[in-house]
Amino acid sequence: MSFLDQLNPEQRRAAQILSGPVLILAGAGSGKTRTLTHRLAHLIASGTSAHRILAVTFTNKAAREMKERTARLIGESRAASLWIGTFHSICARILRRDAHLLGYDARFTIYDSDDSLTLVKRIMREHGTLDDSLKPGIVRARISEAKAFLLTPEEYARNRKGPAAAVIADLYRRYQAALMSNNAMDFDDLLALPVRLFRTQPEVLEEYRTRFQHLLIDEYQDTNQAQYVLVKMLAENHHNICAVGDDDQSIYGWRGADITNILNFEKDFPDATVVRLEQNYRSTRTILKAAGAVVRHNRKRKEKELWTQNGPGDHLTIAELADEKEEAEWIRERLARLLEDGHSYGDIAVLYRTNAQSRAIEEAFVRSSKPIPYTVVGGLRFYERKEIKDVLAYLRVIDNPRDSESLRRIVNVPRRGIGDKTMALAAERMAGTGLPLMEALRTLEEHELGPRAYKPINEFIRWLDALIAKKTEMAVDELLEKILTDTGYRAQLEQDGSVEAETRLQNIGELVAGATAYVEANNEPNVSAFLEDIALVTDADEVQTDGGNSVTLMTLHSAKGLEFPVVFVTGMEEGLFPIAGSLQDAAELEEERRLFYVGLTRAQKLVFLSYAQRRRRFNEWANTQPSRFLQEIPDELLKWDTARAEVPGRQTLDQRRFREDGFVRTRGASTRHVHTVGDEFSQESSYADDFSQTVDSFLTIGHHVMHPMFGRGKITNREGLGVDTKLTILFDSGQTKKILVRVAHLEPCV
């Protein structure tokens, strides 16, 4: 088939296998999307009906690109009935049709993470559990974790230990009841409820099994337990599943992804064919050698060796700086030289482990004699802005009148005289009758509220009823315009006249323009589908790079799937990258290493690595030491930037080698003590005795401590002495962790 001639031998092999389980290990920059689209096209061209193929991606952008590329290969009409989308969009599609079998209405609202957290806070406040001992964010995270593992509140209570487990289980139960009352689902429900649907309604499962004779699952290394179970259920009969991914790029364990899903694929499907895409089309040979040398230190991985026909390219540049301010200045200076060498701002990405690191870099860019244009990826997303959430809340209530959370948001926005007394009476009515908020407000009578309070609520409910009745007759953009005009939301911002108000007006205009584009692009546009499209926009879908106009600043997680001619990876220090919380957990440390691998393989031509001798944390200076990941890059692939050699006490990596446990041992017999995190706790240091006294003063069994990542916890066990002290801590979140004291930054608490 002619279109397969565009592929290399391994890509072609992956595309041509028509039946049975296939695992495609697609290395970074190996032409994965091209391979997948050609595989889809080949399946259809070989006689498989497009509507019998289900292709799952992790971003809407990837889904659109895959469908467009497939259509270009075989024609739009033949590709039109393909089911291609993210797990969440495909599951939402299933639930729109069959959610009634689980007690939901088809017009359910999808709550984003902010909506979900708001609901958790309200439930905790109403039931007296909103205090400093248990944070709403922790409760929300534990509920999300439970759903990812398909645990009901009752199962969570049985499976999780610790003083907070019973409280969280009860809040989980109340939270889920509130969602159902609101006819709403959160993101985790979109994955968990189809599994429940298939388990409780076998005829529905059989229908989808029969329909989808071929499954293609992209980014398989990032699937969680719910996604894994869903895929296994659909593939149970025919085993025509093609899993695509790269275990070396599994970086989302912190949000439930399970790398063992891809590592155990051949155990799940013993007759699987494994194809390795190892030819890289993106990076230089030197970059690939460096990345490969680092990731080979991981034990849990499938062996692969990326290679390229590209040239060797330049060495990776490494620099040691005094602090984050000097690091930022160094980046600025290197940018100036890159521009002189012919690069544009848009060629360059500056990557960091945490968002907080961007501050110093942004300041250096702004204060430069010639300010450097830059774009920060990962700030406040468009659909998370207050004005956008306000306007969309109106649409949500019109589409789903049972959505009490959205109604609470806009019942007095803009102000229309609906006060606390009215809302308190409505809350009592809801508690006594089980009615949603809108119906509870409708039952309130004039003699209960008084004429002055009754008038605005009566007018508001009547206005909503009128729009609900007309929602199928009006286009989405027309409905938005009416909301903005009738409520006075736009007029209020226009009267404000401030710069902030002007920005909010522009954002609202962008929302309306987006609604118009949606109406024009869809044959049967409706409010439900528009809201669903917005709810399912992923972080990756909102990533924008200006292609020449500005430097991109972003976290390493946000950079996944992107590529740039020039990449800076900053903050290469122990406790920052790898992050402190991973230093006591082998699995988490391997994920940090994979994250560095992802950062390196974003680069096409040049890589710059930097670390600081000290960094300010919480208004105090903390001395640091270079990341162990730098030690794992062969010396012959590195070159040092010594332009700032005036930094006192500068040492090369060769003089700062690591012991097996990852802490520094200075090579040679030097008696000079350099006070850095790591060797400040060495056995030779006089600091060790003071440290032992500090440990004994408050780190004893039964005492409570505060950890910067895991929060408050109780010490349940202690091992070792002095600098080798390890503590077992039961945290209020229910997690138990074994902590090495010398790197944990613990503080006493009550």
Side-chain angles (χ1 to χ4, degrees):
M1 224 165 271
S2 59
F3 59 75
L4 294 181
D5 294 338
Q6 304 170 35
L7 306 180
N8 70 37
E10 286 305 296
Q11 291 174 334
R12 183 171 184 138
R13 179 170 170 243
Q16 285 182 311
I17 301 171
L18 294 177
S19 62
V22 181
L23 174 61
I24 301 176
L25 293 173
S30 62
K32 178 188 69 172
T33 303
R34 169 186 286 244
T35 304
L36 299 189
T37 54
H38 282 72
R39 177 179 170 82
L40 287 174
H42 182 60
L43 274 172
I44 296 168
S46 299
T48 301
S49 175
H51 85 277
R52 292 195 174 277
I53 300 173
L54 174 64
V56 183
T57 65
F58 263 74
T59 68
N60 298 294
K61 187 186 298 182
R64 286 192 298 271
E65 183 181 2
M66 196 179 295
K67 193 161 189 174
E68 289 168 1
R69 286 198 190 186
T70 303
R72 284 200 295 269
L73 290 173
I74 60 170
E76 195 167 332
S77 59
R78 296 179 75 185
S81 58
L82 268 171
W83 269 42
I84 298 183
T86 64
F87 268 107
H88 289 91
S89 65
I90 285 168
C91 288
R93 190 171 176 180
I94 291 170
L95 290 169
R96 291 289 179 200
R97 197 195 78 162
D98 294 313
H100 66 282
L101 297 171
L102 299 174
Y104 290 84
D105 183 272
R107 291 189 179 277
F108 59 81
T109 300
I110 299 172
Y111 280 3
D112 64 20
S113 55
D114 185 55
D115 302 320
S116 176
L117 184 60
T118 299
L119 180 55
V120 167
K121 286 178 180 176
R122 184 175 64 78
I123 292 169
M124 293 179 72
R125 190 179 300 110
E126 289 175 355
H127 296 279
T129 55
L130 188 61
D131 55 48
D132 291 338
S133 65
L134 191 60
K135 301 294 185 184
I138 293 292
V139 174
R140 176 67 190 95
R142 296 291 82 80
I143 293 173
S144 178
E145 178 186 273
K147 291 184 179 185
F149 282 99
L150 302 173
L151 298 176
T152 64
E154 295 73 26
E155 289 168 334
Y156 179 86
R158 290 195 299 269
N159 283 276
R160 295 293 185 269
K161 306 301 180 186
V167 176
I168 292 173
D170 181 60
L171 291 169
Y172 177 13
R173 179 181 58 78
R174 296 177 186 277
Y175 170 78
Q176 207 58 29
L179 283 175
M180 180 161 274
S181 174
N182 289 344
N183 191 37
M185 300 179 189
D186 62 23
F187 286 157
D188 299 301
D189 286 327
L190 293 181
L191 303 178
L193 289 179
V195 174
R196 191 206 299 179
L197 175 70
F198 290 165
R199 285 174 172 172
T200 59
Q201 308 291 332
E203 69 283 358
V204 176
L205 171 59
E206 191 56 38
E207 181 182 344
Y208 283 104
R209 278 178 175 170
T210 301
R211 171 167 185 166
F212 297 128
Q213 291 296 302
H214 290 271
L215 307 179
L216 190 154
I217 315 298
D218 193 12
E219 304 287 3
Y220 197 68
Q221 78 280 352
D222 292 331
T223 52
N224 64 17
Q225 178 70 6
Q227 293 162 333
Y228 168 78
V229 170
L230 186 66
V231 168
K232 285 267 288 179
M233 293 175 85
L234 289 171
E236 189 70 31
N237 291 346
H238 51 67
H239 285 198
N240 291 330
I241 175 174
C242 176
V244 187
D246 181 6
D247 50 296
D248 288 336
Q249 297 188 69
S250 179
I251 59 172
Y252 296 115
W254 51 276
R255 67 183 189 194
D258 188 350
I259 191 175
T260 62
N261 292 345
I262 192 168
L263 294 178
N264 292 338
F265 185 84
E266 293 151 276
K267 292 181 181 178
D268 292 333
F269 301 97
D271 55 337
T273 300
V274 180
V275 182
R276 285 175 166 79
L277 304 184
E278 296 174 307
Q279 182 176 359
N280 176 282
Y281 294 90
R282 176 186 300 155
S283 305
T284 67
R285 271 181 263 163
T286 299
I287 292 171
L288 292 184
K289 284 180 181 178
V294 170
V295 82
R296 272 194 293 275
H297 283 76
N298 279 355
R299 295 180 180 180
K300 292 185 177 180
R301 65 182 296 264
K302 289 183 175 291
E303 189 58 41
K304 61 190 77 69
E305 188 76 35
L306 295 191
W307 62 277
T308 183
Q309 292 181 344
N310 297 335
D314 205 350
H315 289 68
L316 283 69
T317 299
I318 185 170
E320 179 185 81
L321 294 314
D323 52 35
E324 66 262 37
K325 184 176 180 181
E326 188 181 74
E327 181 182 48
E329 286 299 316
W330 174 77
I331 294 169
R332 184 187 62 76
E333 291 170 5
R334 294 301 315 209
L335 288 180
R337 279 189 257 172
L338 287 166
L339 291 177
E340 290 173 1
D341 291 340
H343 287 283
S344 66
Y345 285 124
D347 288 344
I348 302 163
V350 180
L351 310 182
Y352 34 78
R353 180 61 181 83
T354 66
N355 280 305
Q357 291 168 252
S358 73
R359 179 193 58 81
I361 300 168
E362 291 184 66
E363 286 181 1
F365 285 7
V366 170
R367 292 175 181 174
S368 174
S369 57
K370 181 182 178 183
I372 296 170
Y374 66 91
T375 300
V376 179
V377 173
L380 187 65
R381 295 170 59 192
F382 180 78
Y383 293 110
E384 291 175 346
R385 291 173 167 85
K386 179 187 182 301
E387 63 276 13
I388 301 302
K389 290 187 75 71
D390 286 346
V391 177
L392 289 179
Y394 278 97
L395 274 189
R396 283 176 160 190
V397 173
I398 291 165
D399 185 55
N400 172 23
R402 286 169 54 188
D403 185 356
S404 299
E405 291 307 306
S406 293
L407 183 53
R408 281 189 182 90
R409 183 180 185 99
I410 49 93
V411 71
N412 204 36
V413 176
R415 293 188 180 280
R416 53 176 60 91
I418 299 175
D420 293 341
K421 179 183 176 183
T422 300
M423 296 305 293
L425 283 172
E428 289 178 11
R429 196 65 48 88
M430 291 174 71
T433 63
L435 291 171
L437 178 58
M438 188 163 179
E439 295 308 309
L441 289 170
R442 198 189 302 277
T443 65
L444 299 180
E445 298 183 9
E446 187 172 354
H447 69 84
E448 296 176 273
L449 299 173
R452 184 175 178 182
Y454 177 73
K455 181 181 179 183
I457 194 64
N458 182 50
E459 291 178 347
F460 182 53
I461 294 296
R462 288 172 59 189
W463 176 77
L464 282 174
D465 284 341
L467 286 186
I468 290 168
K470 293 180 179 178
K471 69 180 178 183
T472 57
E473 303 170 13
M474 300 178 68
V476 179
D477 51 346
E478 294 173 345
L479 198 53
L480 281 172
E481 286 288 358
K482 185 164 181 59
I483 289 167
L484 292 167
T485 301
D486 289 0
T487 62
Y489 198 103
R490 179 190 281 133
Q492 178 179 277
L493 291 173
E494 289 172 342
Q495 291 167 10
D496 185 303
S498 67
V499 173
E500 181 183 5
E502 179 60 31
T503 301
R504 293 185 187 278
L505 279 169
Q506 290 173 2
N507 290 335
I508 290 172
E510 185 67 25
L511 177 65
V512 175
T516 302
Y518 164 80
V519 170
E520 293 172 350
N522 288 271
N523 295 327
E524 297 180 2
N526 61 74
V527 176
S528 293
F530 175 69
L531 289 172
E532 182 176 307
D533 279 358
I534 288 173
L536 298 180
V537 169
T538 68
D539 291 341
D541 290 321
E542 291 202 331
V543 171
Q544 300 287 336
T545 55
D546 287 352
N549 296 328
S550 64
V551 177
T552 300
L553 306 185
M554 66 200 315
T555 65
L556 285 133
H557 283 99
S558 296
K560 184 152 184 283
L562 303 177
E563 60 181 34
F564 300 87
V566 183
V567 167
F568 287 78
V569 183
T570 65
M572 296 295 303
E573 299 138 30
E574 286 291 292
L576 182 57
F577 194 25
I579 203 80
S582 70
L583 298 180
Q584 297 94 27
D585 188 300
E588 291 180 13
L589 183 59
E590 290 207 351
E591 181 158 312
E592 290 289 297
R593 186 175 283 111
R594 292 192 293 269
L595 185 59
F596 184 43
Y597 173 85
V598 166
L600 290 177
T601 55
R602 299 312 92 199
Q604 295 169 311
K605 296 178 180 178
L606 296 174
V607 171
F608 295 87
L609 306 170
S610 61
Y611 63 92
Q613 291 181 333
R614 64 175 188 166
R615 193 171 292 270
R616 191 180 291 279
R617 294 174 186 166
F618 304 108
N619 292 322
E620 293 183 359
W621 286 108
N623 292 311
T624 68
Q625 71 177 41
S627 169
R628 68 190 68 199
F629 301 153
L630 297 177
Q631 311 286 339
E632 296 167 359
I633 301 174
D635 291 343
E636 64 270 19
L637 304 179
L638 296 170
K639 67 176 180 182
W640 283 85
D641 185 336
T642 58
R644 288 180 170 263
E646 74 280 5
V647 177
R650 184 176 307 282
Q651 304 167 349
T652 66
L653 285 178
D654 191 53
Q655 293 173 306
R656 302 177 73 169
R657 290 296 179 192
F658 282 64
R659 299 196 303 261
E660 269 188 24
D661 63 1
F663 297 97
V664 115
R665 173 187 291 162
T666 303
R667 179 179 289 184
S670 172
T671 57
R672 181 175 63 88
H673 178 66
V674 181
H675 189 69
T676 60
V677 173
D679 65 343
E680 66 181 358
F681 300 138
S682 70
Q683 294 290 359
E684 294 78 18
S685 171
S686 62
Y687 188 87
D689 293 336
D690 295 335
F691 180 75
S692 297
Q693 293 174 16
T694 302
V695 168
D696 291 335
S697 67
F698 73 90
L699 299 181
T700 56
I701 294 174
H703 280 135
H704 287 85
V705 292
M706 183 64 69
H707 188 282
M709 175 169 288
F710 304 118
R712 181 177 178 273
K714 183 178 181 180
I715 300 171
T716 60
N717 193 34
R718 174 173 160 172
E719 306 169 39
L721 296 172
V723 295
D724 293 321
T725 302
K726 291 182 180 179
L727 302 176
T728 301
I729 303 176
L730 175 61
F731 290 99
D732 290 350
S733 64
Q735 292 179 295
T736 297
K737 293 278 186 181
K738 186 168 283 190
I739 303 293
L740 188 62
V741 171
R742 60 184 170 188
V743 296
H745 304 293
L746 297 173
E747 296 179 4
C749 71
V750 294

